[in-house]
Amino acid sequence: MATEGMAGGEQWLADYTRRVGEIQRKAQETQDQIKNMRARASSPDGAVTVVLAPGGRLESLALSPASVQLGHQRLAAAITQTIQAAHADAAAQTQAALQPLVGESDAMEFLKDQVDSAIAEDPAAPSAEDQPQPPQQPPRRASAEDGDDEDFGGSIMRSV
């Protein structure tokens, strides 16, 4: 009877080791998938196309010849909205990549809630023509009252 207990324990350990190996393999596949993920979006009129690399870094921005007809304010709004759409695509891709790993679990629900909250906090920008634009002011030159920043070529917070 003691032999049966040992055999059962060895089988349990073998099954456990196999399951851990599968989880590690799935985790590595998911990590690789996320590392190589690219989120793409185009504006409805096709004037703006963006590609985001992992982590949300802007990898490419393409403007069609028709984009110059939009004017600077509408073009800026189209770029912003297209980047936000690409971020939403990246979030959906990340959720899809993680689904096989975590399944329908509290962890997946937490991830969905976090993504939904982030998208809600960063809604698509209203069109630029609807918003008053502040007057453009020329950059301010540094003065002696600005502090010790002059010793290092000026403040890093000031545009050059």
Side-chain angles (χ1 to χ4, degrees):
M1 194 159 201
T3 307
E4 285 179 26
M6 280 186 160
E10 289 173 6
Q11 183 61 45
W12 178 88
L13 183 57
D15 288 345
Y16 179 78
T17 302
R18 181 186 49 77
R19 286 194 313 262
V20 168
E22 287 176 16
I23 292 169
Q24 287 174 330
R25 181 185 52 76
K26 283 182 183 179
Q28 185 61 49
E29 287 173 3
T30 301
Q31 185 177 12
D32 292 343
Q33 185 179 358
I34 291 172
K35 278 184 188 176
N36 295 313
M37 199 176 289
R38 295 292 184 273
R40 292 172 174 78
S42 292
S43 61
D45 61 2
V48 178
T49 301
V50 298
V51 177
L52 300 181
R57 179 180 53 82
L58 181 62
E59 185 171 84
S60 72
L61 168 65
L63 303 175
S64 75
S67 67
V68 297
Q69 303 302 317
L70 295 176
H72 71 280
Q73 292 176 331
R74 287 180 38 215
L75 179 57
I79 290 170
T80 301
Q81 291 168 346
T82 305
I83 289 172
Q84 289 171 340
H87 277 286
D89 179 44
Q93 287 185 49
T94 301
Q95 286 179 2
L98 290 171
Q99 182 68 37
L101 188 63
V102 298
E104 286 301 324
S105 64
D106 290 342
M108 181 55 78
E109 287 304 313
F110 177 77
L111 175 64
K112 288 178 183 177
D113 289 345
Q114 294 303 307
V115 169
D116 291 344
S117 294
I119 291 171
E121 289 173 9
D122 192 15
S127 67
E129 63 227 1
D130 295 338
Q131 299 211 357
Q133 297 297 315
Q136 294 294 322
Q137 295 180 357
R140 186 177 73 80
R141 298 283 302 174
S143 67
E145 294 91 45
D146 287 341
D148 295 332
D149 291 340
E150 288 301 308
D151 295 338
F152 297 99
S155 172
I156 60 170
M157 300 304 287
R158 192 170 47 248
S159 62
V160 177

